[in-house]
Amino acid sequence: MSTTTLRMALSTKMEAAQSLLSKALLTALDINGGDVTPSASPNPLSEVLPQNSGSSGSVCFVNDSTNNDNAELMKGFKMFGTVKEIGVDDKGLSEFYNDHFTYPLYKDEGLVFYNNFFGKRKLGLTTYNPLKLYSGYKEMTKRLKKKNLDGNMVGEGMVQGGVIIFDKNGKVRYAYEEETGKELNMEDIVAALRAVQTDA
């Protein structure tokens, strides 16, 4: 395993949560205009994953950001996403889906992805230095503006998610824990995708 993918290696907690993850109930969402509604009854991940898996595997975004500049590499993978809640900021979720993430979205009914797999990690201060906080905020808003994303203060925004990479057999191979305010480290994600593709 290269040092690049070490950032994405599964923690002991994630390894232990894999069996729970396979039982996570996901509800497919129908996003139409500004309305977000369940389009089916909840199904376990073990039934949802085969529908969202490519020849190499699948990538699940358990957060609100993605950057797909690696189209060639992604050919062997399918993407899908999970969200914590609906009925709170459906307009924002609908805009995000239509403008930035046009892959299947599911509501994580029991918050298994967020609470069990990613350990219910909450947004917290990384520094108490007001200049660093302000600088980080300005950097983040600049990135959001560049990507034409609007941030808002609607809904539960404290529990962090991440990115989970499944192999073609549905086994979690790598995970990347979200760090709110920081850009996804695409080098690490690409290295993990390559490693899964090589093993496929």
Side-chain angles (χ1 to χ4, degrees), residues 8-22 111-122 159-161 164 172 175 177-178:
M8 295 194 57
L10 299 180
S11 68
T12 306
K13 181 178 18 175
M14 290 174 178
E15 287 279 1
Q18 275 204 67
S19 62
L20 287 172
L21 199 58
S22 67
L111 298 178
V112 175
F113 284 80
Y114 293 93
N115 293 346
N116 299 99
F117 190 78
F118 283 114
K120 202 174 184 179
R121 293 174 316 104
K122 293 206 176 207
V159 177
Q160 298 177 308
I164 303 171
V172 177
E177 293 180 328
E178 174 186 17

Side-chain angles (χ1 to χ4, degrees), residues 26-30 37-43 48 51 86 105-107 109:
L26 300 177
T27 302
L29 299 178
D30 182 27
T37 56
S39 64
S41 297
N43 288 307
V48 171
Q51 301 163 24
I86 59 172
L105 280 176
Y106 298 86
K107 180 179 176 226
E109 292 295 340

Side-chain angles (χ1 to χ4, degrees), residues 175-195:
Y176 184 96
E177 293 180 328
E178 174 186 17
E179 296 178 62
T180 301
K182 292 188 179 178
E183 186 124 26
L184 290 174
N185 186 325
M186 291 308 294
E187 268 185 39
D188 288 355
I189 293 171
V190 166
L193 290 171
R194 283 201 174 105

Side-chain angles (χ1 to χ4, degrees), residues 41-57:
S41 297
N43 288 307
L45 177 65
S46 58
E47 291 178 22
V48 171
L49 208 48
Q51 301 163 24
N52 294 287
S53 189
S55 59
S56 297

Side-chain angles (χ1 to χ4, degrees), residues 127-196:
T127 182
Y128 290 103
N129 180 329
L131 294 175
K132 283 187 178 181
L133 286 171
Y134 180 73
S135 173
Y137 172 77
K138 293 297 281 181
E139 187 179 307
M140 180 181 68
T141 54
K142 184 179 174 182
R143 269 196 325 272
L144 289 173
K145 186 175 182 177
K146 182 180 173 186
K147 293 180 181 187
N148 201 25
L149 288 168
D150 292 327
N152 67 31
M153 302 301 273
V154 181
E156 195 291 307
M158 297 300 286
V159 177
Q160 298 177 308
V163 177
I164 303 171
I165 299 175
F166 297 89
D167 67 17
K168 64 183 178 184
N169 299 314
K171 182 176 192 262
V172 177
R173 293 284 306 282
Y174 296 98
Y176 184 96
E177 293 180 328
E178 174 186 17
E179 296 178 62
T180 301
K182 292 188 179 178
E183 186 124 26
L184 290 174
N185 186 325
M186 291 308 294
E187 268 185 39
D188 288 355
I189 293 171
V190 166
L193 290 171
R194 283 201 174 105
V196 171

